[in-house]
Amino acid sequence: MEFSDADGVLAEQLLRVTRRLQRIQSRQLEPMGITPAQFRLLRTVAHCDGPPRMADLAQRLDVVPRAVTTLVDGLEASGRVRRAPDPDSRRAVRIEITEEGLATLRSLRDARRAAAEEILAPLTAAQREVLGDLLTALVNGMPERRC
């Protein structure tokens, strides 16, 4: 498949919108004492069928295991997750989300919606629907990583 200049422009536009969304979200997360990476890990833990192992999280987040350890350390210190022994392996640890973590996720989802609203403000309802359909097609075309 050959890419046109229009594809390159489109890719750049997607990157710019993504960066803008990340900057807005970071500003909203800062007062809550959580980083975007911690938010991503917390959200991932919440969406797993059961408490994931640290290695599962590293694979799912596409990071090295040491990065997961650092993120879990911060979230555990704030009471948002806890480490639990893995019943299938004495050496493995599972990560459980706490009530505090669930409450944080609810607050963060509100912050995320506000960030999206700020970015989508120039679009009409019809344009948002078309954009949603296009983004769904892109997301559905990507392989999903499950815990």
Side-chain angles (χ1 to χ4, degrees), residues 27-122:
R27 277 196 320 260
Q28 293 171 333
L29 295 177
E30 190 175 352
M32 297 178 196
I34 190 167
T35 67
Q38 288 174 326
F39 172 46
R40 188 171 170 227
L41 186 135
L42 195 61
R43 194 178 65 232
T44 300
V45 171
H47 286 106
C48 288
D49 294 333
R53 293 178 303 131
M54 301 273 272
D56 297 333
L57 287 170
Q59 182 180 12
R60 170 90 175 174
L61 297 170
D62 198 23
V63 298
V64 296
R66 176 71 187 119
V68 171
T69 300
T70 302
L71 293 172
V72 169
D73 287 347
L75 289 169
E76 188 174 40
S78 66
R80 293 178 172 120
V81 299
R82 69 177 151 261
R83 287 176 167 90
D86 185 329
D88 300 325
S89 170
R90 292 189 339 219
R91 292 182 5 206
V93 174
R94 295 209 175 247
I95 305 304
E96 298 176 340
I97 192 164
T98 64
E99 286 301 318
E100 177 68 24
L102 292 172
T104 299
L105 268 183
R106 285 189 292 274
S107 295
L108 294 173
R109 285 185 186 123
D110 292 342
R112 195 173 210 189
R113 276 196 275 294
E117 181 59 38
E118 184 175 330
I119 289 206
L120 297 173

